[in-house]
Amino acid sequence: MSVVTNTTTIGAIEAPSRRNTELVLLAFAVAIPVFAYLNVGLAIDGKVPSGMLGYGAGLALLAGVAHLVVRKWAPYADPLLLPLATLLNGMGLVLIWRLDQSPRLIALAKRAYGAFSPSAPNQMMYSAVGIAMFVGVLLLLKDHRVLQRYTYISMVAALVLLLLPLVPGLGADVFGAKIWIRVGGFSIQPGEFAKLVLAIFFSGYLMVKRDALALASRRFMGLYLPRGRDLGPIVTIWGVSLLILVFENDLGTSLLFFGMFVIMLYVATERTSWVVMGLLMSAAGAVAVGSTASHVQSRVAAWLDPFECLKTAPPGTNMAYACDQMTQVLMSFGSGGILGTGLGEGNSDLVQFAANSDFIFATVGEELGLAGVMVFLLLYGLIIERGVRTALAARDPFGKLLAMGLSGAFALQVFVVAGGVMGLIPLTGMTMPFLAYGGSSVIANWALVGILIRISDTARRPAPSPAPNPDAEMTQVVRP
């Protein structure tokens, strides 16, 4: 009789990287904006625009670099995030270039500033810097859990970023809101970067304190109310958001700041009472500040009845300007109808100075119609859905909270901008991610996508194969 010993080790199942899928989607994400660029040129001049090849080559080069970096350093990342961001960024460049061709905006800029400077080349440069930021995140951030070490440093950095616009000589007042700083010849919006740093702080803080925050002392009207000493964090965040709103007249950042914290607090504790308290506190703060701050009052008046407000507002005031903008935006959406007037054939440039930034979604509504608006909202919704899916797949609590916080911040920004432009809520002064003109916004959102891709790569990466187990040996008896 002979004995044959066979040791069998079962390894981890190799997960598909989906990088080829990402590459195919990126090809469409580049081709669609190039086709839209051609459409705008034919609509305005009746000929192929001279810069189409350069625009297409530049966008393809940026997308190709980003894809190669993801393929090399994040091979298991979500395959949809990069193509979706590229498509939105590319369409934003097309819409900004379309508004650059408006004779009305060119004449307005020459009257106001003495010269006209096109915005599309600057936005292309900002997009390149954003891709560089995206690449830097993937190259330097090998493991997202490293960020947990900088929890309280992130808190200090976020507060510094939020308070910079209040520094004399550094902050700039633009249309009543003090949310910009000027460094050399550049303007920076620190709040766009503060949301990323705050998400890191909230994730690290809530991961440690979530058990204490989940405790309830008593039940009131069907809700579990937290203990008094656990109310400190939410009261502090509420107070800081109100201070931002009061001193900087920045409704958007304060809403984003507080809303992101409440979302992450609910995810960490699973207590509905925190959400209810957050909504009540945000409503109370908005009413208190809205009754005292003239900048917020102008936007509320423009939201309630912009046409009546335009008749009664004193000429030349911020209220008259806000009401005029809102009436033009609503008429843009109305004239767009279901399918829109066509790219390059609308009149959204009547919104004037903010047509390519705060109100660029009005161009989408007029020239692409309700169908185009729904497509863009669907693209944003897909980015949010992939972010939430990444949070669910993350294997560590810090990664779950960070992915959910970033996705929640992105969703809130899309909601407050689209809702403000379409008249659902008062205007907040924020910009549509990837779509609107602005370097701070596009750079910060590319960094946000980079962090989500790093978390998704870690979540989807197959676990290492287990070591051979001596007890798993199988002995087979072979009879002669």
Side-chain angles (χ1 to χ4, degrees):
M1 182 179 69
S2 62
V3 178
V4 178
T5 303
N6 181 27
T7 302
T8 304
T9 302
I10 301 176
I13 299 175
E14 185 72 11
S17 68
R18 306 295 297 276
R19 298 280 66 81
N20 291 333
T21 302
E22 180 184 82
L23 182 60
V24 173
L25 293 175
L26 271 177
F28 284 101
V30 172
I32 292 172
V34 171
F35 178 76
Y37 195 102
L38 172 64
N39 200 346
V40 172
L42 293 175
I44 294 177
D45 298 325
K47 59 183 180 181
V48 177
S50 58
M52 188 182 72
L53 292 179
Y55 166 75
L59 185 61
L61 177 62
L62 293 177
V65 170
H67 170 73
L68 291 176
V69 171
V70 173
R71 181 179 285 270
K72 175 67 176 178
W73 281 279
Y76 298 99
D78 189 287
L80 288 182
L81 284 171
L82 179 58
L84 288 170
T86 302
L87 177 56
L88 287 170
N89 199 164
M91 289 303 299
L93 287 166
V94 171
L95 294 174
I96 293 169
W97 179 76
R98 176 261 175 276
L99 292 170
D100 281 345
Q101 311 308 307
S102 167
R104 186 180 290 111
L105 290 182
I106 294 174
L108 182 65
K110 288 181 177 179
R111 287 199 305 269
Y113 307 113
F116 171 75
S117 177
S119 301
N122 291 336
Q123 188 71 358
M124 178 63 86
M125 179 187 69
Y126 297 145
S127 300
V129 176
I131 295 291
M133 178 70 77
F134 172 86
V135 170
V137 168
L138 294 181
L139 294 181
L140 300 177
L141 187 63
K142 303 296 184 182
D143 189 340
H144 65 272
R145 290 169 292 187
V146 174
L147 298 174
Q148 186 182 348
R149 303 175 186 172
Y150 307 101
T151 297
Y152 292 99
I153 295 177
S154 300
M155 178 190 67
V156 175
L159 291 177
V160 170
L161 287 172
L162 291 171
L163 295 176
L164 277 178
L166 298 178
V167 177
L170 188 63
D173 191 326
V174 181
F175 299 120
K178 299 176 181 178
I179 59 177
W180 298 88
I181 61 173
R182 297 193 185 278
V183 180
F186 295 94
S187 296
I188 302 172
Q189 192 172 350
E192 290 286 348
F193 302 97
K195 68 182 180 185
L196 305 179
V197 186
L198 281 173
I200 296 172
F201 164 65
F202 290 155
S203 300
Y205 177 81
L206 292 175
M207 194 191 74
V208 176
K209 301 291 185 180
R210 59 179 177 176
D211 292 335
L213 294 170
L215 294 176
S217 58
R218 59 184 178 275
R219 186 181 177 93
F220 178 73
M221 296 182 65
L223 296 175
Y224 288 100
L225 297 179
R227 297 178 302 181
R229 63 176 177 269
D230 295 327
L231 285 173
I234 194 170
V235 172
T236 302
I237 300 300
W238 179 69
V240 172
S241 64
L242 281 184
L243 290 175
I244 295 171
L245 182 55
V246 170
F247 291 106
E248 298 184 5
N249 286 331
D250 187 8
L251 180 62
T253 300
S254 60
L255 180 62
L256 177 65
F257 182 19
F258 187 70
M260 180 174 61
F261 180 71
V262 171
I263 290 173
M264 298 178 69
L265 191 58
Y266 172 73
V267 172
T269 63
E270 299 182 6
R271 291 292 186 188
T272 310
S273 55
W274 286 109
V275 177
V276 175
M277 289 184 60
L279 292 174
L280 292 176
M281 294 175 73
S282 61
V287 170
V289 175
S291 60
T292 56
S294 59
H295 180 67
V296 178
Q297 289 176 347
S298 300
R299 292 185 170 181
V300 172
W303 167 59
L304 292 175
D305 191 347
F307 296 95
E308 182 63 28
C309 167
L310 187 60
K311 297 178 183 177
T312 58
T317 61
N318 286 336
M319 183 173 293
Y321 184 69
C323 296
D324 179 63
Q325 282 184 320
M326 200 62 208
T327 55
Q328 297 296 341
V329 167
L330 292 179
M331 287 190 288
S332 294
F333 279 106
S335 62
I338 302 296
L339 299 178
T341 60
L343 283 171
E345 299 181 4
N347 293 293
S348 59
D349 50 359
L350 289 170
V351 182
Q352 299 182 6
F353 289 109
N356 63 1
S357 54
D358 295 7
F359 298 100
I360 197 167
F361 210 52
T363 302
V364 175
E366 181 172 12
E367 301 191 354
L368 297 177
L370 177 62
V373 168
M374 296 306 298
V375 167
F376 274 91
L377 292 180
L378 178 62
L379 294 175
Y380 284 117
L382 284 173
I383 291 180
I384 297 164
E385 186 269 337
R386 303 312 290 189
V388 173
R389 183 185 289 265
T390 297
L392 294 175
R395 300 167 186 169
D396 62 293
F398 177 78
K400 288 180 180 292
L401 286 172
L402 182 57
M404 186 61 70
L406 294 175
S407 303
F410 191 88
L412 279 173
Q413 186 165 351
V414 171
F415 169 73
V416 297
V417 176
V421 173
M422 292 189 289
L424 299 177
I425 59 175
L427 289 168
T428 59
M430 300 185 73
T431 54
M432 207 68 171
F434 294 113
L435 206 63
Y437 176 72
S440 302
S441 178
V442 72
I443 295 171
N445 282 296
W446 271 114
L448 183 149
V449 171
I451 297 174
L452 287 179
I453 283 183
R454 171 54 66 209
I455 298 173
S456 69
D457 174 66
T458 304
R460 299 176 73 244
R461 185 180 295 273
S465 301
N469 185 0
D471 298 332
E473 293 184 352
M474 298 189 310
T475 303
Q476 180 181 4
V477 177
V478 179
R479 298 185 182 275

